[in-house]
């Protein structure tokens, strides 16, 4: 499993970090406070 893309969503109080592989499967999706 190798993460090819990492995204960061900025909300008011919570940062949402997510990573996907080259075939589009979500590897992780974590809220950070």
């Amino acid at each position: 499993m190798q993460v090819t893309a990492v995204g960061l969503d900025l909300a008011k109080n919570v940062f949402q970090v997510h990573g996907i592989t080259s075939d589009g499967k979500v590897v992780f999706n974590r809220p950070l406070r």
Side-chain angles (χ1 to χ4, degrees):
M1 175 175 45
Q2 184 175 2
V3 177
T4 57
V6 175
L8 180 63
D9 296 329
L10 304 176
K12 289 183 179 179
N13 295 329
V14 178
F15 298 102
Q16 191 81 13
V17 181
H18 54 275
I20 58 171
T21 60
S22 59
D23 59 353
K25 291 185 180 180
V26 176
V27 178
F28 59 89
N29 191 2
R30 298 243 168 145
L32 302 174
R33 295 175 189 257

